[in-house]
Amino acid sequence: WADGGNWKTGHWIQGKLGLSSLGQIVADLLGKVGYDSTMYDISRLTDIVSGFVITSRQTVRACLEQLAMAYFFDMVESDGLLKFIKRGKISNSIIDFTELVPRDDAVDTFTISRTQELELPRQVDVIYLSRTADYQAGTQSAQRQTVKAVDYATLNLPIVLSDQEAKVVADVTLYNAWVGRVQYQFTAPPKYALLEPTDVITITKEG
């Protein structure tokens, strides 16, 4: 092949033929357990996937969780559909602090809790199938400096990624772990009953 040297950048005909969208892969997995296209919404899963390998007998849920770790989406049931929502949406609802419903004990309307640093990962390692190394296992890492955390987290992804893509997965996973250490608990009034899991909201307070 005259253009064989271009395979690393995706400009090789045989490389292009193997690509699939994330949504198509999810749809195929759901089809194996009896879901048809009227039962789910994958319209937001537009990422291009170079390869996904199922190496052993496992549940469809386990396969979806592996894909979610690499492509950062959540699954939620809404209006009778199983919806797949990409993370990183902008806030779509604003609630004023005065609207929050006091808890039964009437002590705190809005509670903030933080996970201890020692319970968080200092480093995240992503093991993947390297597109540029004949699909051999590769490792990319992300690490936080000057923290008390000592734990390491490892993601084993049977997914074909470039080195840069795997590094992004490691960086975002570590970032999410530390941002997610802060959790907020509150109760919204009935007027916000249409809010669903994966919705992003903003709480405003004067002063």
Side-chain angles (χ1 to χ4, degrees):
W1 290 86
D3 63 345
N6 295 330
W7 70 276
K8 291 185 179 181
T9 56
H11 300 131
W12 194 33
I13 182 64
Q14 289 186 343
K16 293 179 183 178
L17 293 177
L19 300 180
S20 179
S21 74
L22 177 60
Q24 289 172 329
I25 294 174
V26 169
D28 183 66
L29 290 170
L30 293 175
K32 295 182 183 300
V33 290
Y35 280 74
D36 61 51
S37 59
T38 65
M39 303 169 69
Y40 55 80
D41 179 4
I42 55 170
S43 59
R44 301 171 182 84
L45 303 183
T46 58
D47 304 75
I48 298 301
V49 181
S50 297
F52 174 60
V53 181
I54 301 176
T55 57
S56 60
R57 179 175 296 179
Q58 57 186 318
T59 64
V60 167
R61 177 175 179 173
C63 293
L64 293 175
E65 289 173 346
Q66 290 172 333
L67 290 168
M69 286 190 288
Y71 297 102
F72 304 106
F73 63 86
D74 293 300
M75 297 163 277
V76 59
E77 186 176 355
S78 171
D79 298 326
L81 290 176
L82 186 61
K83 295 182 179 180
F84 294 82
I85 311 295
K86 295 284 289 185
R87 298 174 193 166
K89 298 190 302 179
I90 62 173
S91 175
N92 56 2
S93 296
I94 299 177
I95 302 177
D96 189 86
F97 187 84
T98 59
E99 296 184 89
L100 299 181
V101 179
R103 294 168 51 184
D104 292 339
D105 55 21
V107 175
D108 294 309
T109 301
F110 189 88
T111 303
I112 302 175
S113 59
R114 291 170 63 91
T115 302
Q116 296 296 319
E117 278 195 15
L118 291 175
E119 299 178 36
L120 298 169
R122 177 187 181 90
Q123 178 172 315
V124 170
D125 298 322
V126 174
I127 301 173
Y128 61 102
L129 303 177
S130 177
R131 184 189 306 152
T132 55
D134 294 330
Y135 306 105
Q136 299 300 308
T139 302
Q140 293 290 329
S141 302
Q143 186 179 72
R144 285 182 69 96
Q145 304 294 336
T146 64
V147 294
K148 298 179 181 179
V150 296
D151 284 347
Y152 288 73
T154 301
L155 304 183
N156 285 287
L157 302 178
I159 300 172
V160 177
L161 300 169
S162 69
D163 296 341
Q164 182 178 3
E165 289 169 337
K167 183 65 168 66
V168 169
V169 173
D171 289 340
V172 174
T173 300
L174 183 62
Y175 175 81
N176 286 345
W178 281 82
V179 170
R181 70 182 296 202
V182 182
Q183 299 184 357
Y184 307 93
Q185 184 175 0
F186 58 89
T187 301
K191 63 183 288 188
Y192 296 102
L194 292 180
L195 288 173
E196 299 180 334
T198 73
D199 283 341
V200 180
I201 65 175
T202 300
I203 305 294
T204 60
K205 182 180 180 182
E206 293 185 3

